Amino acid sequence: MKKIQAGGQDFLLARVRDRYYCTEAYCPHLGGNLSEGTLTGTILTCPLHHSQFDISDGHVLRWTDLTGSILDAAKTQRPQRPLRTYPVKIEGNAVFVKW
Ligand code: FES
């Protein structure tokens, strides 16, 4: 996976087996650079507080690895939301992203 730019905007582009996925480049929690996270199958883990998202549709699997009152405060400050995803089309050697 890597961070790419298109139209002056950053995106995360990832290949899992023979499929490509595109999402927003920064974590919806506090802006972690997702290209520095880890990808296991389609499960993306943010490098900062380890929220996890499924990049196939953006849904949240875990909203931070914070616990207790710190997690409650984090959810109040930044309510959980899915990762934005964008359709990807491959034509020859070109990768097209629609946003
Ligand atoms: S910035 Fe990604 S989990 Fe906090």
Side-chain angles (χ1 to χ4, degrees), residues 27 29-32 46 48-51 64:
C27 181
H29 176 231
L30 288 176
C46 176
L48 291 188
H49 312 105
H50 309 114
S51 286
T64 81

Side-chain angles (χ1 to χ4, degrees), residues 71-93:
L71 175 60
D72 293 340
K75 284 183 173 177
T76 301
Q77 290 177 337
R78 291 287 178 161
Q80 177 176 312
R81 78 157 173 83
L83 197 61
R84 289 187 192 95
T85 61
Y86 306 93
V88 177
K89 186 169 96 176
I90 308 295
E91 283 186 10
N93 291 330

Side-chain angles (χ1 to χ4, degrees), residues 6 20 23 38 56:
Y20 285 86
T23 72
T38 58
S56 65

Side-chain angles (χ1 to χ4, degrees), residues 44-83:
L44 173 63
T45 302
C46 176
L48 291 188
H49 312 105
H50 309 114
S51 286
Q52 290 185 318
F53 307 91
D54 187 328
I55 60 170
S56 65
D57 62 6
H59 78 269
V60 178
L61 296 162
R62 178 175 66 200
W63 189 248
T64 81
D65 62 359
L66 305 173
T67 58
S69 58
I70 296 174
L71 175 60
D72 293 340
K75 284 183 173 177
T76 301
Q77 290 177 337
R78 291 287 178 161
Q80 177 176 312
R81 78 157 173 83
L83 197 61

